[in-house]
Amino acid sequence: MSDGPFDRRELSTAELRERLRAAKQAVGDERREAAIQRQHDDDKLTARERVAYLCDDGSFDEYGRLAGPAPTTPETQDWEREDAPADGVVTGLGRVDGRPVAVAATDFTVKGGSLGHTGGSKLRRVGGLALRRGFPLVFLHDGGGHRIQEGLDARPYASGGDFVFQTKLSGWAPQVSAMMGAGFAAPTNYAASCDFVPMVEGTSTMGVAGPSLVEAALGVDLSKEEIGGAQFQTAATGMADAAYEDDEACLDAVKAFLSYLPTNAAESPPVDEGWANPPAEAVAGLADLIPTETDRGYDIYRAIEGVADRDSFFELKAQYARNIVTGFARLEGQPVGIVANNPRIKAGTFDVPACDKASRFISLCDAFGLPLLFLMDVPGVLPGPDAERQGIARHSGKVLFEVNRATVPKISVVLRRGYGFGYVLMAGGRSTDNELTVVWPTAEVAAMGIEGAVDIVYRDEID
């Protein structure tokens, strides 16, 4: 009986092991020098280099390294493992800071990082492991979505995408999509369900469709950066949380993000035993930080610095909806979520983008057991026809829903203004069933600002 090109009975166990070792090596970076050099020439790490940088030394076990493409159409009939090593997806389990993670990294050097049927099976496999074991799932995207050549056959494609495990994993274990290169179509769809989406400046893109499809559908000729560059997706849409200068900085951010969250929702957030008090000068500066005049701005980040452990604030979506500040910090080593109005941007008013940013963040903290600290200086919810057309009432109601749904401890500090519905959205008072509301000496809590109140209450006398 033969097994392929050789008779297994004629080989020793040692020879079989050597064949296996050689096959694995043949699809690794060390045997693909030209492809790897092109990746490095673009200032990018390879998929396996990214995984190695993310995971603790020697902790990553790769699954499906010898997988090959699944030819389904005439265009793919001649494809072999050598044409698509590992089918362009590196998957497996590793550890980050000693804790388990499931990782999937698309390989741009293999057919542009496109996702074939075999690669999709590998994603489902590692996603299923993350779901069953309660491990965080980290995607490292660098590819062009579904492999079109394999998507022309209805029989395998009709089964649909690979997103069910993400839906079930949401709120159970953290999910990260690091956009480290091409990211239009499928990578963006994966990212939409994730808790943290970092990008790499000048390298990564994201969006539901790239320039070619946009031009074909709409007749509009736009560059990749205009449609889905890092600046656009962090500042204009808020789809991405932050942009970083290179691959290493992006992966460092993934590690930092995970350090604030538990492995899954059944565990407690990790405590930093090496925490340090806030800088003494930041604490002393709190006394004079907030002006008594409500029309004067101040630096809300100085307030956060004076309260949180030294160098512990990790901001999310810093460039989007800047009138609200959201991020993780630590208080005596314990991770917490901070929501703060920014008086320097739109006076800290809640508009639609701010509502969406705040509600999503509150939900994230509640899912993974992080107490919430609200630093309030809010004149209310943005009125007017433009805001109403955008559905401000519905979006602000979503913030209230998440605040009241949250079962984690909630503390609200009124720094200055606590006006109207904005006071409620920032977990003020008893209407949100919080643990504590405290007020700064500069605090004003009322239905609205004094100028508007006088105009309404005393209009007849003024007239």
Side-chain angles (χ1 to χ4, degrees), residues 182-254:
F184 289 116
T188 297
N189 297 333
Y190 285 113
S193 296
C194 285
D195 304 307
F196 181 54
V197 183
M199 298 184 72
V200 179
E201 282 279 5
T203 301
S204 62
T205 57
M206 66 187 306
V208 296
S212 298
L213 185 55
V214 169
E215 184 172 12
L218 304 176
V220 179
D221 184 12
L222 297 171
S223 69
K224 292 186 295 184
E225 288 70 26
E226 289 174 314
I227 297 173
Q231 180 61 31
F232 178 74
Q233 293 291 7
T234 54
T237 70
M239 179 65 189
D241 286 282
Y244 298 93
E245 60 183 358
D246 54 30
D247 281 12
E248 290 87 350
C250 183
L251 293 168
D252 285 339
V254 173

Side-chain angles (χ1 to χ4, degrees), residues 455 458-463:
D455 186 54
Y458 298 103
R459 176 172 299 174
D460 290 343
E461 288 86 339
I462 294 172
D463 288 341

Side-chain angles (χ1 to χ4, degrees), residues 358-391:
S359 60
R360 186 180 179 99
F361 179 73
I362 293 166
S363 176
L364 172 65
C365 292
D366 181 50
F368 295 112
L370 272 65
L372 285 158
L373 172 62
F374 295 83
L375 301 179
M376 184 193 312
D377 187 353
V378 59
V381 175
L382 185 67
D386 291 341
E388 296 292 354
R389 273 191 291 268
Q390 294 173 6

